[in-house]
Amino acid sequence: MQIQPATPSEAEKQRWQELAEQIEAARAEYYDATPEALEAGLTTLSDAQFDQLYSELQELESRFPQLATKDSPTAQVGGSVTAAEGFTKVAHLQRMTSLEDVFSLAEVDDWFTRMAKSLGQKQPVITAEAKIDGLALSLVYEDGQLVRAVTRGDGNIGEDVTSNVLTITSIPRLLPAPHPQTVEVRGEVFCPLDDFAFFNQDREAMNRESLFTRVEMAKAGLKTRIGQQKIFVNPRNAAAGSLRRKESWLVARRPLDFLAHGVGQVTEAAGFEAPKTLSGWFEQLSQWHIQTSELTKVVSSLKDIHDYIDDLGKNRLSLRHGIDGVVLKINDRAAQESLGYTARVPRWACAYKYPPLEVHTRLHDIGVQVGRTGRVTPFAIMEPVLLDGSVVARATLHNPGEVARKGVKIGDLVVLRKAGDVIPEVLGPVLSARDGSERDFVMPTECPSCGHPIRPAKEGDADLRCLNAASCPAQLTERIAHLGARSALDIEGLGDQSALALTQPEANRELVAAALMGGHRVELETGQKLQLPESLQAEGQEAERREAAQALMPPAAQPVLHTEGALFALRAEDLKDVMIWQPILNEGQPTGDWRQLRYFYTQGTYRGPVDALEVVAEPQPTKSTVALLEQLEAAKESPLWRILVALSIRHVGPVAARDLAARFGSLEALQAASVEELSEVDGVGPQIAQSLNSWFEVDWHQQIIADWQAAGVNFSVGVQQDTETADLLAGLTLVVSGSVEGYTRDSAKEALAARGARVASSVSKKTSALVAGPGAGSKATKAQDLGVKIIPAERFGELLEKGAALLEEL
């Protein structure tokens, strides 16, 4: 008798959705982050929080297998690597793995016990190292010369940042003899904490000098473009952002350093004998003048490990660099090889993470935000607070039930927790600090963006949604930003801010009016300064001040886009007068004043009285605007699967979109297909099929398609392939099962498809070969029964390189 899996409740389905969305958002944020975003310290999720969310998702899916859809984050090991502007992708000689994270001493004990049992040793020798809070880097030396420096990327492929790494003076370019023919040195790039503080102080001083210069030039009636220097708030992100800068001269000015913590591939040469232990390698690296951490110790008992963790934790705030834990590794290199790896991590190492830090801050308000699918969620608006290196002012509260569960009220002093760079979490209120002025949060009944009633999409849904998808500005903004994401059309210039400028240019208008009411100034693009007269700045005249503030401001600008259908018809002249409101900062801090400026064009230069302004220099499209329009033009020839993802069809992610595009070949064929025909596609199923079929039935969706077609979008472009490798696997039907190191299941399939293979989801007599990794299970058994060739996952890279020739060798 077959036992049917349990059915998840609505609350469990909702929690799965929340976890999946947070994990996917974190992955997208990490892999899509610009140098500016990294340097700003705005990363919302750290490895620690990611692992917690990921573990919870895995636990849910183990109890309810039906939640583990093809596009679930658990079907992916990492994210794809797209090189930043000015850099190229490079394959590592040996995979750069992540580490197994543990969060308690009991888990450390379990790991140590497993190691002892596996090695047959009562007390195996361990290296205990500080887990440096930096950016993982691999240095490749050939014949003693530094030839390449590569970021970790997805473990298999990273970005070549050699030109920037050569500016780090602590990294030697030549190794003294003897040395191997080839060696990969692994370590972390970081900003020393003291140097980071002095660096920021220098920038603050420069800002004060530039402010004086701007004031003096203004007195002389001259305009200046001298800007504020960015004040970094997070050493780790400053290091990561610096290495992704394309200007090496700028990187050379940054206080970057490097500490090695191991080696990857080593090709020995005559006269050089490789150390047999990790501690021996640390000594060798030091002899080559490559810095290693002086905090590393060799230990061989649980007591020594506990003492090391405790001592380092007590001193973590006084170290030369930031740390977020302790790394434990088997010292013997041969023992490491015998223990091997899981799909994601080496068995011979683990990373103990210190408990998260907590602070108190004031909860000023609870707002609500509208997502791409109309889901309306509350979030905490707090007094900005510095927490573990970054300024936090907002935190998600997930849903109204979560607000009630935590018992927080508007006005509360709340406990805010954040470990490393994790998404900030409001734990609950400090009840003893309440004075009676606090008030309960009431979930609005109308969409804050369009005023449409919010309610569940169907009976029994836990989520509240704005169902006005066609006309809700917030949903349109999110759809436009999604359209430009790397998982969709991959348009670099179409991110959150540009999507907001196109769809909601007046998003901050109420804040600007409030600033005027509060006596602050507003500067228009023409240079005109607005400010209420002193007679209206007194308390008790709110109605008069509001009316006067609105009268002072220019008429509200209309959005350029009211639907994504018009996106591909955009011209440069359409963007000329897109104005946004931006807060004016002083030394990185808000002044309360605002300015109006053009988003897609340079600012014009004007002179003369306000009522008779003379244009000295006309605004011109910025370089990024020109690039955006070029990218939009190129995106018209995107593969069909990318266009399907860009259309924001619910449940249709990149994997399902690829399978649908491969099966039907054109949008016209997809529209004509029945739900049954769509469901027959491997990996699609009834839910995705029905969602796709229903989407095509909506009139405004059809109008988007018509508008895109009129603008020249090609809805029948096949999957683009590299011409040099496109035929390596042509004519073969391959199946991937189990884990493949360095690849998600989707990215492994994409790599095979890019070389001409047909990738199936099940093994049959027609299957040419099965790529089998850990967890292949019944598919491997079936392949053996049918006599289908099995390619071990560790030979996947060889398969991609040799193609069909590898099958002949098996």
Side-chain angles (χ1 to χ4, degrees):
M1 178 179 176
Q2 186 174 4
I3 300 176
Q4 295 296 321
T7 301
S9 66
E10 287 301 322
E12 286 161 335
K13 290 179 183 177
Q14 178 183 341
R15 183 53 181 161
W16 182 94
Q17 187 66 36
E18 291 171 352
L19 291 167
E21 289 177 358
Q22 289 179 57
I23 291 169
E24 289 296 348
R27 282 176 169 164
E29 181 182 37
Y30 179 80
Y31 287 103
D32 294 351
T34 62
E36 293 80 5
L38 288 170
E39 292 169 353
L42 299 178
T43 312
T44 56
L45 205 62
S46 74
D47 290 342
Q49 184 70 3
F50 183 94
D51 288 341
Q52 290 176 355
L53 298 178
Y54 194 90
S55 296
E56 186 178 349
L57 191 68
Q58 284 182 312
E59 191 275 331
L60 267 177
E61 291 183 355
S62 68
R63 289 193 289 125
F64 307 108
Q66 59 268 54
L67 293 177
T69 63
K70 197 171 184 180
D71 284 316
S72 169
T74 60
Q76 307 170 33
V77 177
S80 59
V81 177
T82 302
E85 182 181 358
F87 298 96
T88 57
K89 294 189 290 186
V90 177
H92 294 295
L93 300 180
Q94 186 180 100
R95 172 161 165 73
M96 290 185 74
T97 60
S98 56
L99 292 169
E100 175 188 0
D101 292 330
V102 298
F103 300 92
S104 68
L105 293 179
E107 289 177 282
V108 170
D109 295 356
D110 288 343
W111 175 83
F112 185 86
T113 301
R114 289 201 310 272
M115 295 303 98
K117 183 177 179 180
S118 297
L119 296 172
Q121 302 173 7
K122 186 175 181 180
Q123 292 186 320
V125 179
I126 306 290
T127 61
E129 309 166 32
K131 189 175 185 300
I132 300 166
D133 199 16
L135 177 73
L137 189 71
S138 176
L139 305 175
V140 180
Y141 288 88
E142 294 180 357
D143 294 324
Q145 183 172 358
L146 178 62
V147 296
R148 190 162 59 252
V150 186
T151 62
R152 175 181 165 182
D154 65 3
N156 268 340
I157 298 173
E159 289 177 311
D160 188 332
V161 291
T162 309
S163 59
N164 287 338
V165 167
L166 289 175
T167 68
I168 303 175
T169 57
S170 60
I171 295 178
R173 299 191 182 191
L174 294 173
L175 303 181
H179 49 67
Q181 180 181 343
T182 302
V183 60
E184 280 184 299
V185 177
R186 303 287 171 72
E188 298 281 324
V189 172
F190 63 97
C191 285
L193 298 181
D194 287 346
D195 293 342
F196 177 77
F198 286 127
F199 179 72
N200 267 346
Q201 290 172 11
D202 286 343
R203 294 174 79 83
E204 289 170 352
M206 291 169 65
N207 283 341
R208 287 192 291 271
E209 292 173 5
S210 65
L211 177 62
F212 174 80
T213 302
R214 290 197 302 275
V215 170
E216 292 302 305
M217 292 183 73
K219 288 179 179 178
L222 301 173
K223 283 190 172 288
T224 175
R225 292 187 180 275
I226 298 175
Q228 291 283 308
Q229 296 289 316
K230 184 187 300 179
I231 305 301
F232 301 128
V233 296
N234 185 307
R236 177 189 180 189
N237 287 53
S242 295
L243 278 194
R244 298 194 77 193
R245 289 280 183 183
K246 59 183 179 181
E247 309 93 341
S248 296
W249 61 267
L250 188 152
V251 180
R253 298 181 179 182
R254 304 286 173 85
L256 301 179
D257 208 342
F258 177 81
L259 284 176
H261 54 57
V263 294
Q265 180 168 305
V266 179
T267 305
E268 296 191 22
F272 176 80
E273 183 176 351
K276 300 288 190 284
T277 63
L278 185 57
S279 57
W281 267 109
F282 289 153
E283 294 176 7
Q284 178 63 70
L285 291 169
S286 297
Q287 291 175 17
W288 288 335
H289 310 299
I290 297 176
Q291 295 182 126
T292 60
S293 175
E294 70 278 5
L295 299 172
T296 299
K297 287 186 177 181
V298 176
V299 296
S300 58
S301 71
L302 279 175
K303 181 181 182 304
D304 290 341
I305 292 173
H306 289 189
D307 288 346
Y308 182 90
I309 291 173
D310 183 56
D311 291 343
L312 194 63
K314 290 177 180 177
N315 297 298
R316 61 185 295 197
L317 298 179
S318 60
L319 298 178
R320 174 173 167 244
H321 46 68
I323 65 169
D324 58 4
V326 169
V327 178
L328 304 172
K329 302 174 185 173
I330 295 296
N331 190 38
D332 185 85
R333 293 273 289 175
Q336 291 180 4
E337 291 298 320
S338 68
L339 291 166
Y341 299 78
T342 68
R344 296 177 62 244
V345 299
R347 294 187 175 90
W348 43 268
C350 73
Y352 170 84
K353 297 296 187 71
Y354 286 114
L357 301 176
E358 296 179 358
V359 297
H360 291 179
T361 189
R362 188 65 60 183
L363 177 63
H364 289 316
D365 202 356
I366 296 178
V368 293
Q369 56 193 6
V370 185
R372 177 167 58 97
T373 61
R375 183 173 175 230
V376 182
T377 56
F379 63 93
I381 303 171
M382 301 167 294
E383 181 71 26
V385 60
L386 185 65
L387 182 59
D388 196 26
S390 60
V391 177
V392 177
R394 291 191 174 193
T396 181
L397 288 168
H398 303 297
N399 54 59
E402 185 76 355
V403 178
R405 186 185 70 80
K406 292 180 181 292
V408 294
K409 297 185 176 186
I410 297 170
D412 265 334
L413 186 68
V414 295
V415 180
L416 187 68
R417 180 174 67 181
K418 183 167 171 277
D421 294 342
V422 311
I423 187 169
E425 177 187 7
V426 175
L427 295 182
V430 181
L431 296 177
S432 60
R434 285 183 171 169
D435 60 12
S437 64
E438 300 79 15
R439 66 186 192 278
D440 290 330
F441 165 68
V442 179
M443 188 72 177
T445 57
E446 296 180 345
C447 173
S449 180
C450 67
H452 195 275
I454 59 175
R455 58 182 176 82
K458 62 180 185 293
E459 187 176 352
D461 277 3
D463 288 336
L464 296 176
R465 296 182 184 274
C466 169
L467 302 182
N468 182 30
S471 305
C472 178
Q475 293 184 61
L476 175 60
T477 301
E478 293 295 322
R479 291 200 302 269
I480 294 294
H482 164 77
L483 188 150
R486 290 184 177 175
S487 61
L489 295 183
D490 193 13
I491 300 173
E492 185 176 348
L494 197 59
D496 292 339
Q497 294 305 312
S498 53
L500 191 67
L502 289 168
T503 58
Q504 300 184 78
E506 296 284 359
N508 289 323
R509 189 178 182 88
E510 289 301 318
L511 295 177
V512 177
L516 283 171
M517 291 170 61
H520 293 286
R521 293 190 304 172
V522 173
E523 182 178 336
L524 301 185
E525 192 260 350
T526 58
Q528 180 185 0
K529 294 179 174 59
L530 310 179
Q531 189 170 26
L532 290 185
E534 291 185 9
S535 60
L536 284 176
Q537 293 181 21
E539 294 291 332
Q541 302 181 70
E542 184 170 346
E544 293 86 345
R545 282 186 290 141
R546 183 176 298 279
E547 182 178 351
Q550 294 289 354
L552 270 180
M553 296 176 65
Q558 293 302 306
V560 172
L561 294 181
H562 295 276
T563 167
E564 53 263 61
L567 180 66
F568 287 101
L570 284 177
R571 300 166 301 171
E573 51 265 37
D574 298 328
L575 305 175
K576 179 179 179 181
D577 294 324
V578 174
M579 301 282 191
I580 64 167
W581 299 103
Q582 184 182 80
I584 296 175
L585 307 180
N586 181 18
E587 298 188 7
Q589 299 300 315
T591 61
D593 297 337
W594 288 76
R595 66 164 59 92
Q596 182 192 48
L597 48 82
R598 298 178 191 270
Y599 186 86
F600 295 101
Y601 271 60
T602 60
Q603 309 309 305
T605 305
Y606 309 89
R607 65 185 176 194
V610 172
D611 57 352
L613 282 175
E614 178 186 351
V615 180
V616 177
E618 286 281 356
Q620 299 295 322
T622 63
K623 290 182 179 179
S624 58
T625 298
V626 173
L628 169 61
L629 294 173
E630 291 174 349
Q631 291 164 5
L632 282 171
E633 186 63 31
K636 294 177 182 179
E637 296 295 327
S638 295
L640 176 59
W641 74 266
R642 286 190 174 275
I643 293 175
L644 289 175
V645 175
L647 288 170
S648 287
I649 304 170
R650 197 171 183 192
H651 302 307
V652 178
V655 177
R658 275 186 174 273
D659 291 337
L660 287 164
R663 167 64 178 81
F664 291 94
S666 71
L667 193 72
E668 184 180 5
L670 276 169
Q671 287 178 285
S674 65
V675 172
E676 291 73 21
E677 289 172 325
L678 294 170
S679 299
E680 290 173 358
V681 176
D682 287 342
V684 173
Q687 184 183 43
I688 296 176
Q690 185 59 62
S691 179
L692 182 63
N693 186 267
S694 299
W695 190 92
F696 284 129
E697 294 176 350
V698 179
D699 55 358
W700 67 273
H701 292 164
Q702 289 290 347
Q703 188 59 51
I704 292 172
I705 293 173
D707 290 341
W708 284 12
Q709 285 176 325
V713 175
N714 189 342
F715 285 98
S716 59
V717 179
V719 177
Q720 295 175 345
Q721 298 179 333
D722 185 332
T723 55
E724 293 184 3
T725 61
D727 297 328
L728 279 176
L729 298 171
L732 299 180
T733 298
L734 302 176
V735 176
V736 178
S737 183
S739 302
V740 180
E741 285 194 20
Y743 293 86
T744 65
R745 187 168 299 177
D746 293 342
S747 64
K749 290 181 177 181
E750 288 179 15
L752 295 174
R755 288 159 175 79
R758 178 187 177 275
V759 185
S761 60
S762 59
V763 176
S764 69
K765 292 181 179 179
K766 296 181 179 179
T767 303
S768 306
L770 168 71
V771 177
S778 60
K779 290 183 181 179
T781 302
K782 187 173 183 179
Q784 289 175 338
D785 293 342
L786 295 175
V788 172
K789 292 182 178 180
I790 297 178
I791 302 173
E794 55 265 27
R795 300 190 70 178
F796 186 71
E798 193 177 348
L799 173 64
L800 298 181
E801 182 179 343
K802 293 183 177 180
L806 177 63
L807 272 66
E808 298 175 3
E809 298 176 10
L810 297 176

